Amino acid sequence: MLERQPMREIDLRVAFFTRDFGKLTAKVRSGRSITSKLAPHLELLNFVRLRLVEKNGFIVADALRHGQFSRGRVSVLAAVAALAPDGDPDPELWSLLEKGEATVPSVLAALGFDPAFASCASCGVLRPAKFSVVDLEYRCTACAARYPDDSDHLDVRLPVS
């Protein structure tokens, strides 16, 4: 599960990453209802087995929690949610997520934004520390600090070589 957003009174819209279809978004009918049997399975950080029905988009028909990411991986899932294209399978990214080896730099590399070859878009400093999800560019810490709302910046902690 990548994202979970309220929709209307008791419905949900959820985004998830699949092996065969990449990132998908689906509606969950009555997903916020107190008696919902799907809601506990559709929490963030969960690996979930889903059964989807296609009817004016996807609808989650059934869900079962299969495993869970650690809390420290929230930024990894945020990177996948923000950057992975809808409906485009990515076996490399799926493998990283499934094995639990995904880090923000490895996700960026799998999606074509390899931090090993990056430089700050503003000043040209090599090995920048931040990646702007909105602008799709790297920035050093000093240049990223110039933006008052840095919630769209992912930390890219690269090992020193």
Side-chain angles (χ1 to χ4, degrees):
M1 286 290 308
L2 300 175
E3 292 180 317
R4 183 182 153 125
Q5 301 169 342
M7 187 177 141
R8 298 193 188 122
E9 283 188 32
I10 58 174
D11 294 340
L12 283 172
R13 179 152 310 278
V14 294
F16 44 91
F17 193 80
T18 69
R19 177 184 60 225
D20 297 330
F21 302 107
K23 187 173 86 171
L24 294 177
T25 304
K27 178 181 177 181
V28 182
R29 291 187 179 150
S30 301
R32 295 189 300 152
S33 169
I34 292 174
T35 58
S36 173
K37 294 177 182 171
L38 297 177
H41 301 280
L42 298 175
E43 292 293 328
L44 295 178
L45 302 173
N46 281 351
F47 282 114
V48 181
R49 289 187 185 266
L50 293 172
R51 187 167 53 102
L52 300 174
V53 175
E54 189 172 7
K55 183 178 180 183
N56 296 330
F58 290 108
I59 298 172
V60 175
D62 197 16
L64 179 64
R65 184 178 151 217
H66 185 61
Q68 190 171 26
F69 267 105
S70 67
R71 291 271 175 218
R73 298 292 183 193
V74 172
S75 59
V76 170
L77 295 182
V80 173
L83 299 171
D86 291 340
D88 188 16
D90 189 331
E92 180 185 357
L93 182 56
W94 174 259
S95 177
L96 287 171
L97 293 170
E98 187 177 41
K99 292 177 184 174
E101 299 171 354
T103 62
V104 171
S106 67
V107 167
L108 290 171
L111 293 171
F113 301 100
D114 196 340
F117 306 109
S119 62
C120 177
S122 300
C123 67
V125 168
L126 295 177
R127 303 183 66 82
K130 304 278 185 177
F131 181 80
S132 172
V133 174
V134 172
D135 299 323
L136 299 178
E137 61 188 19
Y138 284 94
R139 295 192 179 116
C140 65
T141 307
C143 292
R146 285 188 239 151
Y147 295 86
D149 181 22
D150 67 347
S151 61
D152 70 322
H153 286 92
L154 296 170
D155 282 327
V156 183
R157 295 185 182 99
L158 295 172
V160 177
S161 57

